[in-house]
Amino acid sequence: MPEHAHRLPTDTDDGMVLIISGPSGAGKTTITRGVERGIPGSVFSVSATTRQRTDADVEGVDYRFVTDDDFETMKSRGEFLETAGVYGKKYGTPKAWVLEQIKRGRLVILEIDVQGAISVKQQIPDAYAIYILPPSESSLLERLRSRKRESEEIIQRRYEQGRAEIEQARTCGIYNAFIVNDVLEDSIRKAIELVNDERSRRRQGRHA
Ligand code: ADP
Ligand code: 5GP
């Protein structure tokens, strides 16, 4: 943290970005919320998006739902760390907030796609990235349907794009770990363990 920055009593040097990616329906949101609950001081980055809000979404908690014009204005003002087009809609990570939280020593969780993860890793190379895989392709389709969130047409589109994204994730080389989300509690425990191990390794490195 720069010398001149005001340091709060709760600040630490443990700031880390955790990227969680995976195909739609793999269980990212469910696992992310579990990690957030399981790691004190972790915070979830609320992205802006131009996609339609669904009944399951809470404004300001899951996303900031904005118009296309608003999104473009925010982008031109440099408010995003990264932006990406996913399933034909725009998504962006809030830059100033994320950088501030890292400085405060928080674990900052970004639930973003592979393009976004590549972009964040270029800017913040020590970001730690986990990719969530479904146990099988058929379970991915079942989970997408189980949410009862989208029409069958959109579900099919997300399913096809998800399969392509898994291939991209395997080959792009930026993911530190892959978790097959079979039993939910095991996946959450694994993710928490990976993050805690990584943070203590870094802490030891700083004190060496
Ligand atoms: P994503 O955020 O990756 O699109 P969600 O977290 O919305 O996925 O999960 C998709 C659906 O699958 C949800 O209905 C969720 O409750 C369910 N789900 C998540 N993990 C598991 C699991 N391990 N076993 C069975 N169902 C799961
Ligand atoms: P959903 O519409 O299902 O909430 O999200 C669709 C996809 O967009 C998911 O893969 C999610 O991880 C990704 N996503 C959400 N917010 C962002 C963001 O700010 N940036 C990027 N690159 N992807 C995002």
Side-chain angles (χ1 to χ4, degrees):
M1 161 150 26
E3 296 246 346
H4 60 270
H6 179 58
R7 194 173 164 108
L8 300 173
T10 48
D11 288 352
T12 70
D13 294 322
D14 282 342
M16 183 170 105
V17 168
L18 169 64
I19 297 170
I20 296 195
S21 311
S24 190
K28 290 182 300 298
T29 306
T30 319
I31 292 172
T32 299
R33 296 306 186 192
V35 171
E36 207 186 344
R37 273 196 305 276
I39 299 185
S42 61
V43 285
F44 176 73
S45 162
V46 180
S47 295
T49 182
T50 62
R51 89 148 158 76
Q52 280 263 299
R53 189 172 79 81
T54 68
D55 290 343
D57 294 309
V58 179
E59 162 68 35
V61 174
D62 297 297
Y63 285 106
R64 280 181 67 191
F65 293 93
V66 298
T67 63
D68 211 72
D69 281 353
D70 288 344
F71 191 94
E72 288 306 320
T73 305
M74 291 163 83
K75 190 173 173 178
S76 67
R77 287 188 189 140
E79 290 183 23
F80 295 124
L81 183 61
E82 61 77 37
T83 61
V86 188
Y87 313 115
K89 299 292 176 189
K90 296 170 185 171
Y91 294 79
T93 302
K95 187 174 183 173
W97 184 86
V98 167
L99 298 180
E100 175 69 18
Q101 297 301 318
I102 300 170
K103 215 168 67 183
R104 298 266 166 246
R106 304 300 180 108
L107 179 77
V108 189
I109 310 174
L110 310 184
E111 194 196 312
I112 59 176
D113 78 332
V114 176
Q115 324 165 54
I118 292 170
S119 171
V120 170
K121 275 268 196 170
Q122 281 164 355
Q123 301 173 72
I124 307 174
D126 63 0
Y128 188 83
I130 297 178
Y131 196 84
I132 308 295
L133 290 164
S136 65
E137 290 186 350
S138 58
S139 64
L140 185 60
L141 198 52
E142 274 165 31
R143 286 182 194 173
L144 280 168
R145 288 183 175 139
S146 77
R147 294 195 296 198
K148 299 185 169 52
R149 207 179 80 172
E150 298 109 342
S151 65
E152 184 61 24
E153 188 196 335
I154 291 182
I155 286 173
Q156 287 295 338
R157 198 172 346 136
R158 282 181 174 248
Y159 174 61
E160 288 307 328
Q161 291 188 13
R163 289 172 57 184
E165 204 207 60
I166 291 173
E167 197 45 41
Q168 196 190 357
R170 285 192 196 282
T171 53
C172 72
I174 64 146
Y175 288 94
N176 300 85
F178 288 78
I179 294 178
V180 177
N181 179 23
D182 193 352
V183 179
L184 180 62
E185 289 69 28
D186 290 349
S187 305
I188 294 172
R189 198 177 316 118
K190 182 76 199 158
I192 292 174
E193 198 179 284
L194 284 165
V195 170
N196 284 340
D197 285 354
E198 180 66 20
R199 284 178 112 190
S200 62
R201 243 194 314 276
R202 292 183 185 191
R203 214 171 290 138
Q204 279 164 11
R206 280 197 303 276
H207 295 145

